[in-house]
Amino acid sequence: VSCFGSRGIGQLGGGQFGHHDTPAQIGNDGWLTVAGWQHGGCAVKTDNTLWCWGSNLYGTLGVGANHPNTQAPVVVGGAGWQQIDVASAHTCGVAAGAAYCWGAGGSGRLGLGNNSSYDTPQQVGTGTGFSRITTASLHTCGIDGGELYCWGEGSLGRLGIGTTTDEN
């Protein structure tokens, strides 16, 4: 995984502050998938461990609220990570077929039945057939057993359920 651009708060994950106008490698080889946002990123290694870096605003790193912003990747608890996606204030991923979300919970975007925020991964529902999850600024969608599920802010019909109601 290589990143470039501004890294005033460590969002490039290269272990230092500053700017890169060419790709700079993050850690060792062996990354499976990566997702980034304006203040950081997360990646799954081929051993299915999850690593995140950058800003911990809203607990988006998934390593607890007391953890500072980090310039180098830190491991996120749990095992069996398959896929990850990050948005401006929350992160979601799939591990061993289950969906997990954490960060800012406004509008129900974490899918945990409330609008609370969490700074470590929380399992979404009881589904164990998740294959993919994607985040947007105010909502999240995931595929569980071939079925599409969306939750969070419903304005503008963004959840695709025929209403503009928020679903948590």
Side-chain angles (χ1 to χ4, degrees), residues 89-153:
H90 73 293
T91 305
C92 295
V94 176
Y100 292 86
C101 291
W102 60 95
S107 302
R109 74 185 102 188
L110 300 182
L112 302 172
N114 57 51
N115 293 329
S116 298
S117 298
Y118 297 87
D119 55 19
T120 57
Q122 305 293 310
Q123 186 171 350
V124 177
T126 58
T128 57
F130 277 91
S131 59
R132 183 97 177 117
I133 199 162
T134 188
T135 59
S137 61
L138 299 171
H139 70 287
T140 304
C141 293
I143 298 172
D144 181 11
E147 297 286 326
L148 177 64
Y149 294 90
C150 294
W151 54 89
E153 186 174 297

Side-chain angles (χ1 to χ4, degrees), residues 32-58:
L32 179 64
T33 185
V34 63
W37 63 298
Q38 70 188 42
H39 297 297
C42 293
V44 177
K45 283 192 165 192
T46 54
D47 67 359
N48 298 104
T49 57
L50 176 61
W51 297 77
C52 293
W53 59 88
S55 171
N56 198 28
L57 183 65
Y58 309 113

Side-chain angles (χ1 to χ4, degrees), residues 6 30 61 135 165:
S6 172
L61 293 179
T135 59
T165 305

Side-chain angles (χ1 to χ4, degrees), residues 71-86:
Q71 299 86 27
V74 293
V75 69
V76 178
W81 291 97
Q82 300 160 259
Q83 190 253 325
I84 191 73
D85 200 24
V86 293

